[in-house]
Amino acid sequence: KQEVTQIPAALSVPEGENLVLNCSFTDSAIYNLQWFRQDPGKGLTSLLLIQSSQREQTSGRLNASLDKSSGRSTLYIAASQPGDSATYLCAVSGYNNDMRFGAGTRLTVKP
Amino acid sequence: EPEVTQTPSHQVTQMGQEVILRCVPISNHLYFYWYRQILGQKVEFLVSFYNNEISEKSEIFDDQFSVERPDGSNFTLKIRSTKLEDSAMYFCATDLSSYGYTFGSGTRLTVV
C-alpha cells in the first residue's frame, strides 16, 4: 500500500526566503504526483502536476521536481510571501486511479 | 475556469440518519472521486467512479456508503445510518484522463 510522507510537518520562515518542502512515497509505480495548497477549513487547490515521465514542473515562483526511482518529490517556493501561508499537500496517483495524500506541511511566512 | 461544485457546504445530521452529499463535476470530465478529511488528519481516498460504475474503493468505503450519478450530471455520495466518526470534510474531485484532479470546495459533515 502506498504511503506518502511529508517533511517537515510545519515550517515558519521570514518573508522573502526561498524554501523547500519534501515528499516521499514508498511505491515508485506512480502515474502522477500532484502538489496542492489547502487554506484552513477550505478545499484543495492544485498547484502543480507532474506526470511519471516528467522530472519537474514550474509555475511562477513554484517549482516541483520528481525522482520516481527514489520515491521523492520536492516543492520549491521562491521569494516566499505571507500569502503563501497555508498547508501544502503532496499526493500520488497510482494506475488504479486512487490518490494517496501526505499529511501536509503547514507553512507560515512571517512579514 | 471550470469548477467542481459541492452542495451543501455544511450539513449537520443526527446520528443514525442518512445523508446525501452532492457534486456537480466539470462537464467533460470522465472520472469522479470522493475523498474525506477528518479534522486534523490526512485526506483519505474513498471511491473512484468511471463509466457509471465504481472502479476502485478503499477499505473505508463499506456498505454504509454508496455513490451514483442519478441524472448524468450530479455525482452523489450517500451515507446510510451516520455515525459520529463520519464527521469530516468530504471532497468531490473530477479528472479528465491524466490531467490531474480538480477538487470541489467540500462539504463539512457534522454528525451529532
Side-chain angles (χ1 to χ4, degrees):
Chain A
K1 180 184 165 186
Q2 180 75 271
E3 295 289 339
V4 182
T5 303
Q6 290 187 245
I7 295 173
L11 181 63
S12 181
V13 300
E15 182 176 4
E17 270 203 10
N18 302 326
L19 58 101
V20 175
L21 308 182
N22 296 290
C23 172
S24 61
F25 45 95
T26 54
D27 184 351
S28 61
I30 65 169
Y31 189 60
N32 61 44
L33 182 147
Q34 205 162 352
W35 282 92
F36 293 90
R37 170 184 171 137
Q38 186 177 32
D39 292 288
K42 302 293 186 183
L44 306 174
T45 301
S46 178
L47 298 173
L48 290 164
L49 169 71
I50 311 177
Q51 300 293 350
S52 61
S53 59
Q54 297 174 323
R55 299 283 295 189
E56 67 176 342
Q57 284 286 335
T58 298
S59 176
R61 294 182 294 109
L62 305 180
N63 175 276
S65 68
L66 174 63
D67 184 343
K68 202 172 74 158
S69 61
S70 67
R72 294 176 193 272
S73 176
T74 61
L75 178 67
Y76 175 82
I77 302 177
S80 58
Q81 303 169 357
D84 295 331
S85 298
T87 296
Y88 290 81
L89 302 174
C90 167
V92 297
S93 286
Y95 287 88
N96 56 356
N97 276 326
D98 66 337
M99 181 174 274
R100 304 287 175 175
F101 282 79
T105 294
R106 190 173 66 253
L107 174 65
T108 303
V109 181
K110 294 179 284 190
Chain B
E1 188 167 328
E3 287 184 346
V4 175
T5 305
Q6 288 188 244
T7 56
S9 57
H10 190 191
Q11 171 102 38
V12 180
T13 189
Q14 295 223 325
M15 193 168 53
Q17 295 295 305
E18 175 183 285
V19 294
I20 297 176
L21 310 183
R22 292 184 167 80
C23 170
V24 179
I26 295 173
S27 61
N28 61 339
H29 282 197
L30 304 175
Y31 299 86
F32 313 113
Y33 310 87
W34 283 102
Y35 286 78
R36 79 172 185 189
Q37 187 178 32
I38 295 171
L39 186 63
Q41 297 186 23
K42 285 187 181 185
V43 177
E44 300 173 292
F45 168 75
L46 292 177
V47 65
S48 59
F49 191 85
Y50 171 72
N51 202 26
N52 285 320
E53 61 182 25
I54 291 173
S55 52
E56 194 75 24
K57 61 182 180 178
S58 73
E59 58 275 10
I60 302 168
F61 194 88
D62 59 20
D63 292 343
Q64 182 195 9
F65 294 90
S66 62
V67 290
E68 63 175 357
R69 207 163 175 227
D71 55 10
S73 60
N74 289 295
F75 177 51
T76 63
L77 174 69
K78 182 188 291 185
I79 310 175
R80 285 181 281 276
S81 189
T82 49
K83 301 178 283 215
L84 294 177
E85 54 264 39
D86 294 327
S87 295
M89 197 78 161
Y90 288 82
F91 294 107
C92 172
T94 71
D95 182 16
L96 176 61
S97 186
S98 60
Y99 293 100
Y101 286 32
T102 300
F103 278 82
S105 55
T107 293
R108 182 174 300 283
L109 176 65
T110 303
V111 182
V112 297

